[in-house]
Amino acid sequence: MATADPGRMNRCVGTPFLCLWLAGCLQIEETITIDQVGAGTQDFVMSAPQATLDAVRLAASVNQNGAASDTKVLFVRESMEQELTTRGLELVTHETTEDGTTKKVSMQAKFTSLSALRQSPLVGAAAEWHFGPGPAPDTIEVTLYPQGKKAWTDARIKAEQMKDAIDPVAADFFARRRAQLQGLDVTFRLRLPGKVLRYTANMDQTGDCEVTAKITADQICTPEDLVRRLAPRYQAVFDSRECKTFPIDR
């Protein structure tokens, strides 16, 4: 039976935000559904040519100072089952298909608490969640930093700097590599246990209790666009009147 190294797994899942430059034809759809007590499911679908998976693997390895990183573990049910179990989640379904040079993996994981969700490798190693009181009574504010809060703060500063001054090196690099973004399509969907009342501008409300963020190639027209999408912040406020036992961060 194949086994998974937790450190390795965290380096190869959640890579769309790290490796947008290598994202040729990369398609990811992730849906996190949270119920009234903080339990729920996480659905993850990824499709990409083998060449893109190899490039992501190499980039993740370099990012981790040369440590091993292998996207192949995503496609091995036994590896994913062990990894998720170790982190307090349960693998419910796992299916892989291959069409020519393109590989696809679809899976669903179940978590019984927000603590387990925070440990999920399907969000990424650097992800930070916060579930706090909303701006009004009977509301809860959910915040996700896929690359961590510091990365989001640093990206905002860098993007503002780019607006005020042209960096010819960054502009040239962006122009030469932009072609590799073609086919990029990343969707992150959050289903909450109450009606959505407010959400950040990088998301759309796609249901009474649902918000969705998308990253596609045609959204990334400048180096500033890329910097912001590499380290985003997703935030939504929902009506929590039916969530009396929902765990809140204080």
Side-chain angles (χ1 to χ4, degrees):
M1 178 181 294
T3 59
D5 168 8
R8 181 176 68 178
M9 177 65 68
N10 267 332
R11 289 192 291 272
C12 57
V13 182
T15 50
F17 297 104
L18 281 174
C19 302
L20 290 183
W21 281 118
L22 308 168
C25 298
L26 176 66
Q27 298 180 347
I28 292 180
E29 183 170 357
E30 185 167 6
T31 301
I32 296 177
T33 304
I34 304 174
D35 68 16
Q36 296 174 351
V37 297
T41 57
Q42 187 171 8
D43 293 271
F44 181 87
V45 181
M46 183 176 74
S47 175
Q50 185 61 55
T52 297
L53 296 174
D54 291 341
V56 170
R57 175 187 178 188
L58 177 61
S61 178
V62 171
N63 184 68
Q64 295 294 332
N65 299 317
S69 178
D70 192 351
T71 53
K72 292 180 182 178
V73 298
L74 283 168
F75 296 86
V76 180
R77 181 185 178 95
E78 292 83 0
S79 297
M80 288 304 307
E81 190 165 31
Q82 179 175 333
E83 171 65 17
L84 290 166
T85 300
T86 299
R87 298 181 180 278
L89 295 94
E90 175 188 349
L91 182 63
V92 179
T93 62
H94 185 278
E95 181 180 356
T96 60
T97 57
E98 189 166 351
D99 181 11
T101 61
T102 299
K103 300 184 69 174
K104 180 179 179 180
V105 59
S106 305
M107 69 184 85
Q108 183 184 79
K110 182 166 64 175
F111 54 92
T112 58
S113 67
L114 297 180
S115 296
L117 174 61
R118 286 185 165 102
Q119 296 298 314
S120 174
L122 296 177
V123 181
E128 294 181 26
W129 289 91
H130 182 73
F131 299 86
D138 294 320
T139 64
I140 293 175
E141 182 178 80
V142 181
T143 306
L144 170 62
Y145 302 93
Q147 289 300 108
K149 185 174 182 179
K150 184 179 186 303
W152 171 72
T153 301
D154 292 345
R156 292 183 68 196
I157 294 172
K158 181 64 175 177
E160 289 300 317
Q161 292 172 343
M162 287 179 168
K163 290 171 61 175
D164 299 329
I166 298 176
D167 183 339
V169 175
D172 180 64
F173 181 75
F174 179 84
R176 287 186 289 109
R177 302 297 294 274
R178 187 180 179 190
Q180 290 182 296
L181 293 171
Q182 297 308 308
L184 172 68
D185 189 350
V186 176
T187 299
F188 175 77
R189 185 177 297 108
L190 189 59
R191 292 175 178 161
L192 298 165
K195 184 176 181 179
V196 173
L197 305 174
R198 182 188 301 180
Y199 48 94
T200 46
N202 58 355
M203 307 189 87
D204 294 309
Q205 185 165 359
T206 48
D208 285 346
C209 304
E210 178 183 286
V211 285
T212 301
K214 288 186 70 68
I215 301 176
T216 59
D218 59 5
Q219 295 174 346
I220 304 174
C221 302
T222 67
E224 177 192 345
D225 293 336
L226 180 62
V227 167
R228 289 186 182 277
R229 283 165 176 79
L230 281 172
R233 177 193 67 173
Y234 299 132
Q235 190 173 75
V237 175
F238 68 92
D239 184 334
S240 62
R241 284 176 293 179
E242 302 300 321
C243 306
K244 302 304 182 183
T245 61
F246 193 93
I248 297 295
D249 301 326
R250 300 294 182 181

